[in-house]
Amino acid sequence: MLNKTGKIFKALGENNRLRIVNMLMSKPMCVCEITDIIGLSQSTVSGHLRILKEAEIIEDIKEGLWVEYSLMKKDELNKTLFKLVRSLFDNDELLEKERRSALLADRNILCKK
Amino acid sequence: MLNKTGKIFKALGENNRLRIVNMLMSKPMCVCEITDIIGLSQSTVSGHLRILKEAEIIEDIKEGLWVEYSLMKKDELNKTLFKLVRSLFDNDELLEKERRSALLADRNILCKK
DNA sequence: ATGGTATATCGGGATATAACGATATGCTAA
DNA sequence: TTAGCATATCGTTATATCCCGATATACCAT
C-alpha cells in the first residue's frame, strides 16, 4: 500500500467511516455512542475506528471502561484534510442530522447495559 | 454511496489511481502514455480513469484518436484537494520517478503500434 | 475473586473491486 | 469502403472488504 496517503484516502473512501468522522467533528465520542447513532454492530464500528486510527485520522484515549475517540488535529496535514472534509460535508442532510445527534449523545445514558 | 464526498475519497483510496493522479500533476496525458508508464493493461487503466472522472477529479478531451486526461482544477474544492494530495506525495521515491517519467513521455513515440 | 460493562478480535458469509484478455467502438487515413 | 490504431466495454477470476454474531480482553465495582 502506498504509504500514508493511500491509507488516509482509503480510510475515508467508505460511507460509514465518513459518517464516523463527521460525528467526531461535533465532539469526541466513545464507541457505544457512535454505535448507537450509526446503527451498526459494535464489532463493525470498532473495526472502522481501527482503520481510521491506523490512518492517523483519529486517536483514542482510555477513560476507564470507555475508549474515547477524537479527530487527530495535531499536524498541518490533518487541519487541511478536515477543512476539506468539512466543506464536502456541508449540505448533506443525513450528516447534518448525525452531527446534531452526536452533540446530544450522552454516554451515561446510551452506554448503560 | 455518500454523494460526492465518498466518490472522491474512494477514487483516491487506491494505489494505482493515486499513481495516475500523481502523473497527471506533471502534465495532461493520453491513455497510452499512462498505460506505458504504469505497467497495467490498457483496459485496467481505462477503468481507473473512468472512476477518477466520475469523481470529478480528472477530465478528458478528445484529440482525434487520442483521449487526453488532465486534472480538473476548476473549483476551489479541487484546488484544496490537489494541494493536499501534492503534500502527501512529496518524498515518495516511486511517485517522484513517475512524475519525471510523465514529463518525458511522448505520445508520438509511445503510442505507435 | 466475582460479576458486569465497554471494547477488541476472530471466523465466516455476502458483496465489491481490481486485474486481465477479448471484443466493441470511434476516429483517421488511404 | 477498408485498414489500422487508441480507447472503452464486457465477462471472468481472484482478492479484498464489509458486516455480523460469538468470544476474548480489559477494566471497574462489590
Side-chain angles (χ1 to χ4, degrees), chain A residues 59-107:
Chain A
E59 59 191 343
D60 67 321
I61 50 171
K62 299 224 160 176
E63 295 196 339
L65 212 44
W66 291 325
V67 178
E68 186 178 83
Y69 283 88
S70 56
L71 298 183
M72 197 171 89
K73 301 176 184 173
K74 279 201 207 47
D75 51 30
E76 210 50 44
L77 189 67
N78 274 16
K79 278 183 202 158
T80 311
L81 180 64
F82 291 134
K83 200 151 56 177
L84 175 70
V85 169
R86 188 58 202 250
S87 72
L88 283 163
F89 283 175
D90 274 351
N91 303 317
D92 182 301
E93 270 190 43
L94 171 65
L95 294 182
E96 282 174 19
K97 182 164 161 289
E98 288 183 339
R99 282 198 298 274
R100 268 178 276 126
S101 299
L103 277 177
L104 296 173
D106 180 350
R107 71 191 63 173

Side-chain angles (χ1 to χ4, degrees), chain A residues 14 16-17 20 40 44-52:
Chain A
E14 206 280 330
N16 293 323
R17 285 195 290 274
I20 291 173
L40 295 169
T44 298
V45 170
S46 181
H48 283 315
L49 290 168
R50 189 175 192 276
I51 289 168
L52 288 168

Side-chain angles (χ1 to χ4, degrees), chain A residues 32 42-43 66 69 111 113:
Chain A
C32 53
Q42 181 269 322
S43 63
W66 291 325
Y69 283 88
C111 299
K113 183 169 129 59

